[in-house]
Amino acid sequence: MTRIITLRVNGKSYENEVSPRLLLVHYLRDVLGLTGTHIACDTSQCGACTVMFNGESVKSCTMLAVQADGGEVKTVEGLATNGKLHPLQQGFWEKHGLQCGFCTPGMLMSSLNLLQRNPDPTPDEIRHALEGNLCRCTGYQNIVAAVQWAAQEMKAKPAAGVAE
Amino acid sequence: MTVVTANKLLGDPVDRVDGPLKVTGAAPYPSDVTYPGLVHAVLVQSTIAAGTIRSIDAADAEAAPGVLAVITHENAPALAEGPMTPLLGPAPPSPLKDNRILHHGQHVAIVVAETLEQATAAARLVRIDYEETAPVLGIDNPEAAVLRNPWGLETQRGDAAAALASAEVVYDETFAIAAGTNNPLGLFATVARWEGDRLIVHESTQWPTMARQTLATVFNVPENDVQVLVPYLGGGFGAGLRTWPHAILTALAARLVDRPVKLVLTRPQMFTSVGHRAETTQRLRLGATRAGRLVAIDHVGTSTLGAEAANMEFISIETGAAYACPNVATHDRQVRLNIPSPGWMRGPGSEGNFAIESALDELSYTLGIDPLELRLRNYAEVHPQSGLPWSSKALRECYRVGAERFGWTRRTPEIGSMREGNWLVGYGMAGVTFGGAQLPCQVRVSIRRDGSAHVRSAATDIGTGTYTVATQLAAELLGLDIGQVRVEIGDSDLAPAPPSGGSSLATSLGGAIRDAAGNLLRAFLNVLAEDHRSPLQGRRRDDVTAADGRIHLVDDPSVGETYSDILARHELDELAADGEINPQADGAGMAPSGPFAARFAEVRIDAELGLLRVARIVSAVDAGRILNEKLARSQIIGATVMGIGMTMLEETIFDPGSGRIANATFGDYLIPVNADVPDLDVVFVGEPDRFSPIGSKGLGEVGIVGVSAAIANAVYHATGRRIRSLPITIDQLL
Ligand code: FES
Ligand code: FES
């Protein structure tokens, strides 16, 4: 038994026949080949799989692909525009907010969600907003600095961080 | 204070070269790899800890939709055992040998199906009938077999027993540290494919050269017919230092179904399949004079071990090196239990530091000497075992600079004397002497006609920054821009390299790159030996240096020419040279140093609730020459936070009856989250190391060492409670 779903991912339309038990994260990774979204747990606790769904961050391992039918998904691959890095991406690079990089895509998408709600977060607000995204490498300090850097950048150049 | 910087590129906080790939989701990790016709594997694991399999009924699983194979010990071909591994000892035992069960979570079958969902569903249909026996569990179980001095690493000098018997002050306590699990964020994955008798494996490993050797031995094929690829890895922390049974099973499955097979471990399987930090107990006895001089150390370290696996554990390895003490005896014990095999987890030996540095703190109160002063009174000016001068040691500077930045002099010595309202405030510190090896490493470096350089080695970047540091070094040594250097690593077909582990890789690879760069300049001069048109004709290696894409005379930079001109004139596309290091400590006339550090911690404890908060940690680190300040600082911060996890949160719990790990998820095994992290200050001191060709000492692990003792000592200062077991939990403080 399969179902047909239609959705937009990073601004592109897709129509696929999927098994109803297929998770959104596996749809993105295995069907569409968008392997930037990572999986690091089985219990919805690590945040590595975070994507934007209809403008809100969701853990794509807790959603079925069929639930995304008709919706709009944005993954880390859709964060840069025309080859220009999003300020958050730039911030994580410049401020060294990553080591192995495995948590980074999810961390970026959660940060995007934070900055959309709160364009000028304090370090404490960042720490709490990103509490659901585990990182085993960096010790988080530079991640906070990266998000702050991006917030400043987006204030200075509002167009830079427009998420469609 | 000397903050280590170096000429030009070295030491520069260059942004990591793999940054753009990683922030766009384009860095390919092993779990991202796919092939046409790729199929999926799922493991079936034992639900008992000891006994045998009476029978396996795989009929329903085999008949399930999409299933291609169910491989068990009944139908698996016999596999050879893996080889002896340098540095680590015997490889983990090969899987599916027989019907014996040695631990809960042992792989007893692997199911292969067209889709992951089909394989997962079918794995549940494999019915196993066990004959259960009572498992041997618990580190103090009298029935457990005990190995004594299993690795020949015990230290003996002087007469510790006699010195203890006659010491003015004697200290005698025991310590316990819970098992921990490495838990890199990236789930370990293997994608295996056979092309005839050639095996290609995309593997979550920290050591492609070892993985190739292991797979070749197990499958009895020539090493040249095995290729292990890992351009990017989602962290390792020691879990990727072995080729574990799941990887072997995936390669076996690929051979049997004749399709590319992918296996991604689940998070619970990351607890049972790729090692963990062994649970440990220690007994530590110190003898000292009233003036605070150590006269004796006797240190017994006991760690848990799998029923048949090997793990080179050395809790007390640094005990004999840390302080100038004439009489030292260390003892290593390993206890065989029915548990998944422990392995290295970042900073093996940090357990011993917890005991020694806690004990010195206790002694400081007994003797009424400031804890920092006590350490200085026992400072090891030379290596206390060999008597040789250290190749570098700035621990005194670590103490001085760290104390200054932390404000150690503000500490009032009496317990509880720094209380602020409801908060009990405490200051604690710890010294760190850590090992770190340079290991044999090879690399090939080439320059192309367009002036770009290519660095190739089977090293890995597990997140630490190997790509970036190798790029910087090659650029500096060959006189090129960062953008002109391409580093290719993570491929076992390239020149053999040591692991990203044991704090060894950057220094070892760096030394090899330095050698290769020198050889490459020689190769260019050889090309010019008969070339009358070259201003460099007949020049020797020592006459020249490289800068701005050209080789020129040391004495007169105007005399020289570019790599591109030389290659073009001689119609060469590329010139390459190999480099290696083969460190020989014997006869070097010095004791090769690892990194040193001093850690200072401030804790705050809610007087009523027992709630423990680390307010700040200052780390002063001597890691020799710092190759990239930004990366180095990030290593220390990340490891410090892992140390906070070890101290306050992390505990792998084995159910005492069943041997099952009771908390094998991120919901139950707590690692520090963003909001747990205090103010962390890192400062580097010291000078380039004399034994290291590039002056650096490993810094991937030292950041975790000493955190536990600094925090526990601060807890004592705040509360008067001496905690000798980790993790420190709230019930210990109420
Ligand atoms: S994969 Fe861990 S939260 Fe989704
Ligand atoms: S950078 Fe490795 S998990 Fe965050």
Side-chain angles (χ1 to χ4, degrees), chain B residues 622-634:
Chain B
D622 161 21
R625 173 176 275 148
I626 299 303
L627 303 175
N628 180 322
E629 216 268 341
K630 208 179 242 192
L631 267 61
R633 179 174 301 273
S634 181

Side-chain angles (χ1 to χ4, degrees), chain B residues 139-329:
Chain B
I139 190 166
D140 43 16
N141 188 329
E143 269 156 47
V146 179
L147 312 185
R148 285 160 193 274
N149 193 13
W151 304 98
L153 293 170
E154 295 185 349
T155 303
Q156 296 294 337
R157 70 170 178 262
D159 186 343
L164 271 173
S166 61
E168 291 171 18
V169 183
V170 174
Y171 171 92
D172 185 354
E173 289 293 350
T174 56
F175 295 82
I177 303 177
T181 299
N182 313 49
N183 275 317
L185 207 64
L187 297 169
F188 273 23
T190 307
V191 178
R193 180 167 67 100
W194 290 83
E195 279 174 5
D197 278 339
R198 190 172 153 74
L199 172 63
I200 296 123
V201 184
H202 304 262
E203 165 72 345
S204 298
T205 180
Q206 295 170 237
W207 197 357
T209 301
M210 174 281 302
R212 174 174 85 159
Q213 190 196 11
T214 306
L215 291 166
T217 308
V218 168
F219 289 101
N220 195 21
V221 294
E223 273 190 47
N224 283 342
D225 284 346
V226 178
Q227 185 179 24
V228 176
L229 294 159
V230 57
Y232 294 93
L233 182 64
F237 312 114
L241 290 172
R242 323 292 326 235
T243 297
W244 297 102
H246 72 270
I248 293 168
L249 286 174
T250 310
L252 175 67
R255 174 166 252 186
L256 294 180
V257 303
D258 202 17
R259 302 264 293 269
V261 175
K262 177 190 272 196
L263 173 75
V264 183
L265 295 183
T266 63
R267 183 56 59 184
Q269 287 169 351
M270 290 294 286
F271 285 76
T272 53
S273 314
V274 294
H276 64 272
R277 182 195 287 126
E279 181 185 349
T280 53
T281 57
Q282 301 173 65
R283 180 181 181 198
L284 180 62
R285 285 182 292 167
L286 303 181
T289 66
R290 294 236 158 261
R293 296 228 184 261
L294 289 172
V295 294
I297 304 175
D298 186 281
H299 192 174
V300 186
T302 303
S303 57
T304 55
L305 187 64
E308 289 184 0
N311 177 36
M312 190 183 287
E313 186 68 64
F314 36 58
I315 297 167
S316 58
I317 186 103
E318 298 304 331
T319 301
Y323 293 102
C325 173
N327 304 293
V328 177

Side-chain angles (χ1 to χ4, degrees), chain A residues 89 93-94 99-100 136 140, chain B residues 16 22 29 630 650 672:
Chain A
Q89 293 173 306
W93 185 23
E94 295 223 10
Q99 285 182 20
C100 81
R136 191 59 160 161
Y140 301 102
Chain B
R16 50 189 313 139
K22 286 181 175 174
Y29 299 90
K630 208 179 242 192
E650 298 186 34

Side-chain angles (χ1 to χ4, degrees), chain A residues 97-104 107 134-140 143, chain B residues 22 29 183-186 233-235 237 462-463:
Chain A
L98 60 87
Q99 285 182 20
C100 81
F102 206 82
C103 69
T104 311
M107 208 61 90
L134 299 179
C135 174
R136 191 59 160 161
C137 300
T138 62
Y140 301 102
I143 289 176
Chain B
K22 286 181 175 174
Y29 299 90
N183 275 317
L185 207 64
L233 182 64
F237 312 114
I462 63 173

Side-chain angles (χ1 to χ4, degrees), chain B residues 298-652:
Chain B
D298 186 281
H299 192 174
V300 186
T302 303
S303 57
T304 55
L305 187 64
E308 289 184 0
N311 177 36
M312 190 183 287
E313 186 68 64
F314 36 58
I315 297 167
S316 58
I317 186 103
E318 298 304 331
T319 301
Y323 293 102
C325 173
N327 304 293
V328 177
T330 69
H331 318 270
D332 297 331
R333 305 270 183 274
Q334 289 187 306
V335 177
R336 288 209 180 275
L337 302 176
N338 290 114
I339 54 168
S341 175
W344 282 8
M345 178 166 166
R346 197 181 209 171
S350 60
E351 303 91 342
N353 177 281
F354 172 59
I356 292 276
E357 295 300 315
S358 296
L360 284 178
D361 197 67
E362 295 195 53
L363 209 54
S364 79
Y365 287 92
T366 312
L367 299 174
I369 301 173
D370 179 86
L372 179 48
E373 169 59 24
L374 182 62
R375 285 161 175 89
L376 290 172
R377 284 190 196 175
N378 293 285
Y379 196 81
E381 301 287 354
V382 295
H383 193 288
Q385 188 70 23
S386 64
L388 292 169
W390 299 95
S391 58
S392 61
K393 180 169 182 174
L395 179 55
R396 200 186 292 284
E397 214 155 346
C398 291
Y399 286 137
R400 191 173 60 72
V401 174
E404 214 169 272
R405 285 172 86 106
F406 182 80
W408 182 251
T409 51
R410 287 202 298 275
R411 174 180 184 270
T412 51
E414 293 76 40
I415 292 158
S417 61
M418 297 182 78
R419 183 172 183 147
E420 286 175 21
N422 218 23
W423 289 104
L424 303 172
V425 178
Y427 283 9
M429 58 87 55
V432 177
T433 298
F434 196 65
Q438 288 168 55
L439 298 167
C441 184
Q442 298 175 23
V443 69
R444 169 163 294 189
V445 178
S446 59
I447 290 187
R448 297 196 175 150
R449 208 190 276 194
D450 63 5
S452 68
H454 205 170
V455 177
R456 279 169 287 190
S457 171
T460 44
D461 190 334
I462 63 173
T464 41
T466 315
Y467 280 109
T468 307
V469 168
T471 302
Q472 281 180 275
L473 273 168
E476 159 120 9
L477 293 163
L478 296 169
L480 299 170
D481 287 339
I482 295 278
Q484 289 174 294
V485 178
R486 214 180 103 217
V487 173
E488 196 184 323
I489 54 179
D491 177 349
S492 67
D493 278 2
L494 303 174
S500 268
S503 298
S504 68
L505 185 64
T507 298
S508 308
L509 179 62
I513 291 174
R514 186 187 162 134
D515 185 47
N519 291 341
L520 189 52
L521 292 186
R522 259 183 222 109
F524 270 91
L525 294 176
N526 280 343
V527 164
L528 300 177
E530 309 288 324
D531 182 351
H532 304 296
R533 287 165 298 178
S534 172
L536 298 172
Q537 191 215 349
R539 292 300 185 164
R540 305 165 63 96
R541 169 69 187 90
D542 292 344
D543 302 336
V544 301
T545 185
D548 302 323
R550 59 199 281 282
I551 306 175
H552 66 73
L553 293 187
V554 177
D555 298 339
D556 184 358
S558 72
V559 178
E561 58 179 330
T562 65
Y563 298 117
S564 302
D565 286 349
I566 298 170
L567 292 171
R569 200 166 63 244
H570 289 265
E571 290 175 18
L572 293 166
D573 291 331
E574 164 179 89
L575 207 51
D578 294 332
E580 63 176 336
I581 66 160
N582 241 323
Q584 297 296 340
D586 291 349
M590 56 180 135
S593 304
F596 299 93
R599 331 288 305 239
F600 296 84
E602 175 184 333
V603 302
R604 303 181 153 245
I605 294 141
D606 184 303
E608 272 142 39
L609 302 176
L611 207 64
L612 167 61
R613 289 273 175 269
V614 176
R616 62 198 176 98
I617 294 180
V618 172
S619 307
V621 180
D622 161 21
R625 173 176 275 148
I626 299 303
L627 303 175
N628 180 322
E629 216 268 341
K630 208 179 242 192
L631 267 61
R633 179 174 301 273
S634 181
Q635 281 302 306
I636 301 298
I637 290 173
T640 302
V641 170
M642 204 176 255
I644 292 173
M646 175 182 178
T647 308
M648 293 164 59
L649 299 169
E650 298 186 34
E651 174 170 16
T652 304

